[in-house]
Amino acid sequence: MREGKESIKTLDERVEISQSNYKEIWDKVNELVFVIEISKGVVPKNFIDFNNKVCSKLGYSREELIKILPSNVLNLTNIEDKISIFENLSNKRVCDKIELTLKSKDEKRIYAKSNISIFSHEEKDFALVIATDITEYKILEEELKGILNGIPDVIKVYNTDYTISFFNEAGYEFYNKTSEEIKGKMCYEVLSRNEKCLDCSFEEVVATKKMLSRERYIPELNKFMDVCYNPVLGKDGELLFIVERLRDITEKKMLDKITKDSRERYKQIIDNAPDAVIIIVDNKIALANNEACNLFATLYDDLIGSNVYRHFQEKYKKALHKVFRNIISERKIKEIYDYDFYVPNNKLINVQVSYSYILYEGNQAILAAIRDITEMKRDIKKAAELQRSTLQKEFPAQNFIDTMSVYMPAHTISGDFYRIYEINEDFIIGMIIDVRGKGISAALNISAFDILCFQEVNKGHHDPMEIVKNLNKKLVKYYEENYVAVCCFSMDFNSNELKVVGAGINQFLFQKKGESLEEKIVEGSFLGMFDNSEFCEQTIFFESGDKIFFFTDGLDFILEEDKVIQEYMRDASIFEFKNYLDDFLSDSILESGKLKDDCTMVAIEIK
């Protein structure tokens, strides 16, 4: 009997020694290890045990943590993730590489990659969780993704086994894929191929650990692309991952790849960009490439930490402040503005700055890519001058009406236009036009459409409805998807009759003398959309003192909530209102940096 008791005592001592040994080993491992009792539905009930690493990482004492519900620590806010994990555990009883988010005592999030296994003891079920802290990696990954998402080029990041890690937003849009559809696949699988390309460059890049650029034709995309492969190396020279950048070779190079490790690696990558690139944090330049130093004529050490406002002209500071505030608050991507800029020797150049919201070292930041567009601006300015020279400055029917126009492009070249034709001394036809697109292409479309309008009028078509329908048929046939918005009107001074037909520009303002403004609607789709489009017509009889206002959608704010403008229009002459509107739009440019859209108006007052 005594021997039995001694045997039991010896066994208990062995168990205590065994538990002591495993606890000692457990507390020495670098992972977070804890055991949770779970219900039959694999729902966490309470903590059973954990190592010291868990306590130190979460900021709790052992006595505190043992009393806390697991749901207060396991931050599974996404119910779909929670269901997925628990379903997998129920089926497999082991789940590898599950990402968990733990919440510490001070409400900080700790990201962990975990192995979870289910075991039973004394008719109870338990979950053993062995987790590795990947918080720093997740922050760096988010920073890299944020910076890459600010780049308009297609960026693809590959693991060392050539599988895809992730694309930037331009990449997902370019391939029309989601992150779930591409992650872990080989690059050629994204193109629906079964094997790698014959001219694949990955093996060469891995062998040489050097950047490689080449031009490639991708038949699946029917594009010639400039492709750059960049190996990203760790401190000891090992290959971390490969970043691939694709761009249509008709575009200029803007940015190369940006890595995730450190400030120096960021700089190494953006130094390969052909344009000046800076990262702005709290209005200070936190990072810049060599091109930025050359542009600002400043040494790198002097540029870093300097206030970004002091590098721009005084007249832009108010607008810059508003732009920066909006980009940060609304997390905007690719906001583009143009500025005049002084370089060494007091030489004035034109620059275009593309701003994008990013995360940089855990802070909200702005990525600014600055491009010298002086030569392009010079060419565009010539085109704009040519466009302005074709604008009508003298209007017909001066015995019957006074006519004033407002014309202010959102950019240098406008997609708006107007023309009033004199059919005879008692009859005129007018068109106000807004073509799709901006810049040179819009200007070319305007010129082409102006010729079409002239041909219609010259053929003897003087009814607005007939003109609009004929133009629609021509645009459907020749313009493909270059839709055009117009408002066509005629004025017969013998009968004092105004006819207005709308096609995309569907409203105008009419004011009887001494009365309030009336908004008139003329429904009709854009020209060029459908063969059988229907258009509406308004007929109005006018008399001395009446006013009519035709305008493009850049001036829609007149119709909305700005009662001050409408009150001013009621008593002002069209000449006074033109000057008021010109000043109003100029102030808007100074305040915001640019107009949202081209602004064009033709105002008529009956004598």
Side-chain angles (χ1 to χ4, degrees), residues 34-38 44-48 70 74 125-127 129:
F34 52 90
V35 177
I36 302 174
E37 183 182 350
I38 57 176
K45 293 174 64 177
N46 54 274
F47 284 109
I48 298 300
L74 296 172
D125 288 334
F126 301 90
V129 182

Side-chain angles (χ1 to χ4, degrees), residues 143-174:
E143 288 179 0
L144 180 58
K145 286 182 178 179
I147 291 172
L148 294 180
N149 284 337
I151 300 174
D153 298 331
V154 174
I155 304 293
K156 302 188 286 185
V157 179
Y158 295 91
N159 301 312
T160 54
D161 61 357
Y162 308 155
T163 58
I164 298 170
S165 179
F166 63 88
F167 293 171
N168 68 346
E169 289 181 358
Y172 292 123
E173 183 178 348
F174 183 80

Side-chain angles (χ1 to χ4, degrees), residues 150-273:
I151 300 174
D153 298 331
V154 174
I155 304 293
K156 302 188 286 185
V157 179
Y158 295 91
N159 301 312
T160 54
D161 61 357
Y162 308 155
T163 58
I164 298 170
S165 179
F166 63 88
F167 293 171
N168 68 346
E169 289 181 358
Y172 292 123
E173 183 178 348
F174 183 80
Y175 287 103
N176 194 26
K177 301 283 186 182
T178 65
S179 59
E180 291 78 13
E181 290 176 303
I182 61 92
K183 191 172 181 65
K185 289 190 175 183
M186 306 298 286
C187 59
Y188 55 82
E189 291 180 303
V190 177
L191 297 171
S192 300
R193 294 182 183 177
N194 296 322
E195 56 185 18
K196 69 179 182 179
C197 306
L198 295 176
D199 58 347
C200 180
S201 303
F202 276 101
E203 291 182 1
E204 182 179 349
V205 173
V206 171
T208 63
K209 295 184 179 179
K210 293 181 179 180
M211 187 169 66
L212 176 65
S213 296
R214 62 173 47 178
E215 292 178 7
R216 288 187 58 205
Y217 175 69
I218 304 177
E220 288 84 357
L221 305 176
N222 194 26
K223 287 181 179 291
F224 284 97
M225 305 294 291
D226 175 64
V227 186
C228 179
Y229 303 92
N230 189 45
V232 180
L233 307 178
K235 293 180 180 179
D236 56 357
E238 83 279 12
L239 184 66
L240 298 180
F241 52 81
I242 301 170
V243 179
E244 180 186 8
R245 188 262 301 150
L246 288 88
R247 178 182 293 175
D248 193 307
I249 60 173
T250 57
E251 299 180 1
K252 285 186 178 181
K253 223 181 241 187
M254 177 182 157
L255 292 172
D256 271 335
K257 275 83 44 202
I258 298 176
T259 65
K260 66 179 180 181
D261 288 325
S262 68
R263 178 183 292 255
E264 283 305 312
R265 287 201 180 100
Y266 281 129
K267 188 175 186 306
Q268 179 185 355
I269 296 301
I270 67 172
D271 272 343
N272 291 323

Side-chain angles (χ1 to χ4, degrees), residues 97-110:
K97 297 180 181 178
I98 298 296
E99 285 197 9
L100 296 177
T101 306
L102 309 178
K103 185 167 63 176
S104 68
K105 185 177 181 179
D106 57 0
E107 300 293 323
K108 290 183 179 178
R109 290 189 177 186
I110 298 165

Side-chain angles (χ1 to χ4, degrees), residues 420-590:
I420 298 179
Y421 305 91
E422 183 178 41
I423 306 306
N424 57 55
E425 61 181 12
D426 298 320
F427 193 88
I428 62 172
I429 292 175
M431 299 282 288
I432 186 164
I433 305 159
D434 184 356
V435 304
R436 186 179 182 183
K438 304 292 179 189
I440 296 291
S441 63
L444 292 174
N445 287 334
I446 282 287
S447 299
F449 188 75
D450 190 27
I451 293 172
L452 291 178
C453 293
F454 176 78
Q455 290 174 344
E456 282 299 311
V457 174
N458 207 39
K459 287 178 182 178
H461 301 151
H462 299 156
D463 179 65
M465 182 65 76
E466 183 183 12
I467 292 171
V468 168
K469 286 185 175 181
N470 289 343
L471 288 172
N472 183 61
K473 290 178 182 177
K474 290 182 179 179
L475 263 64
V476 167
K477 186 175 181 180
Y478 298 114
Y479 265 51
E480 296 181 351
E481 294 186 359
N482 290 322
Y483 308 135
V484 178
V486 304
C487 184
C488 181
F489 63 91
S490 67
M491 297 185 75
D492 187 335
F493 299 109
N494 282 327
S495 60
N496 288 351
E497 183 181 58
L498 167 70
K499 290 184 178 180
V500 184
V501 176
I505 299 178
N506 302 120
Q507 67 281 316
F508 65 98
L509 293 174
F510 178 74
Q511 182 185 17
K512 296 292 291 182
K513 182 178 180 180
E515 297 182 12
S516 299
L517 286 161
E518 295 181 64
E519 180 185 356
K520 300 291 186 179
I521 303 298
V522 277
E523 295 181 352
S525 59
F526 290 85
L527 296 184
M529 292 187 74
F530 310 106
D531 284 320
N532 57 349
S533 292
E534 295 291 331
F535 306 99
C536 294
E537 181 180 78
Q538 281 261 11
T539 300
I540 297 173
F541 292 95
F542 54 81
E543 57 188 22
S544 177
D546 293 349
K547 289 181 282 191
I548 309 121
F549 301 89
F550 300 102
F551 47 88
T552 58
D553 56 3
L555 294 175
D556 278 352
F557 60 83
I558 295 175
L559 299 172
E560 295 169 357
E561 299 178 358
D562 204 327
K563 301 300 181 184
V564 175
I565 292 181
Q566 294 184 26
E567 287 297 322
Y568 183 82
M569 292 173 70
R570 174 174 178 171
D571 299 319
S573 68
I574 59 171
F575 176 76
E576 291 170 332
F577 182 61
K578 168 192 164 50
N579 291 337
Y580 174 87
L581 203 53
D582 283 340
D583 291 341
F584 183 92
L585 295 174
S586 296
D587 290 343
S588 298
I589 292 174
L590 285 176

